[in-house]
């Protein structure tokens, strides 16, 4: 134990490098998203995250939007705890049989205008979990989807680009946009 302690004082920590995205690009994307949200909704965008049975990879990337690097709350976007306060339902993972009814109820509890974003490959068609006895399928098999953001998992910058595409195509409904 003592040896490990002394080695940790000498060796640098083993961490991943920061993303290769410039701060200017993130700022530009977030400002564009904020402007579109305010034009379309008259206020900032509220997002409700729904895990329909995923491996949590997409959740990690989605919640990275709140970390100090991306910090989307500085532009007025926020994740909310109730679907009654949400504009966007961001659904991750294949829909399991146990989550089908909960996802339907969450969708019905979200006020109009509302958009559903299927985040990740599993949310599109079940991904590597398709055909499992516990999986119903993709999100579109349970509720109508307005946008699919591909990736396993998609990077936070891709999620921001997808939200811009969603709001850019939101003249009532986005109509199945794929980012």
């Amino acid at each position: 134990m003592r040896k490990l302690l002394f080695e940790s004082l000498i060796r640098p920590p083993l961490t991943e490098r920061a993303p290769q995205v410039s701060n200017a690009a993130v700022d530009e994307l977030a400002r564009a998203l904020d402007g579109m949200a305010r034009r379309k909704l008259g206020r900032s965008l509220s997002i409700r995250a729904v895990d329909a049975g995923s491996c949590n990879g997409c959740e990690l990337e989605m919640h990275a939007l709140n970390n100090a690097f991306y910090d989307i709350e500085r532009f007025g976007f926020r994740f909310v705890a109730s679907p009654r306060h949400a504009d966007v339902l961001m659904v991750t993972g294949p829909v399991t049989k146990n989550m089908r009814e909960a996802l339907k109820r969450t969708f019905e509890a979200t006020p109009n205008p509302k958009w559903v974003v299927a985040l990740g490959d599993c949310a599109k068609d079940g991904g590597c979990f398709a055909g499992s006895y516990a999986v119903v399928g993709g999100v579109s098999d349970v509720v109508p989807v307005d946008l699919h953001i591909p990736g396993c998992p998609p990077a936070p910058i891709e999620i921001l680009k997808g939200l811009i595409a969603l709001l850019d195509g939101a003249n009532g409904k986005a109509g199945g946009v794929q980012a």
Side-chain angles (χ1 to χ4, degrees), residues 126-144:
C128 63
F129 303 105
S132 168
Y133 67 91
V135 172
V136 174
V139 177
S140 60
D141 295 339
V142 179
V143 296

Side-chain angles (χ1 to χ4, degrees), residues 50-56 59 91-105 122-143:
V50 180
D51 179 355
S54 75
C55 67
N56 292 334
E59 280 83 11
V91 187
T92 60
V95 181
T96 62
K97 290 181 181 178
N98 291 340
M99 283 299 293
R100 176 180 26 205
E101 186 63 30
L103 180 59
K104 284 181 186 176
R105 287 182 183 182
C122 293
K124 181 177 183 180
D125 57 8
C128 63
F129 303 105
S132 168
Y133 67 91
V135 172
V136 174
V139 177
S140 60
D141 295 339
V142 179
V143 296

Side-chain angles (χ1 to χ4, degrees), residues 14 17 31 35 61 65 77 96 102 108 117 125 143-144 158-159:
L14 297 174
R17 295 182 186 267
R31 279 196 185 87
E61 298 299 315
L65 292 171
F77 308 111
T96 62
E108 291 165 3
V117 175
D125 57 8
V143 296
E158 296 301 319
I159 298 170

Side-chain angles (χ1 to χ4, degrees), residues 19-33 58 60-67 69-72 74-75 90 119 147 149-151 153-166 179:
Q20 297 298 324
V21 180
S22 70
N23 286 337
V26 173
D27 289 347
E28 182 182 336
L29 277 173
R31 279 196 185 87
L33 191 53
C58 292
L60 290 172
E61 298 299 315
M62 177 176 43
H63 291 298
L65 292 171
N66 274 335
N67 71 20
F69 186 79
Y70 294 100
D71 190 21
I72 63 167
R74 67 185 157 158
F75 300 105
M90 197 169 287
L119 186 61
L147 172 71
I149 301 175
I157 199 81
E158 296 301 319
I159 298 170
L160 280 175
K161 288 177 184 177
L163 289 173
I164 288 174
L166 177 72

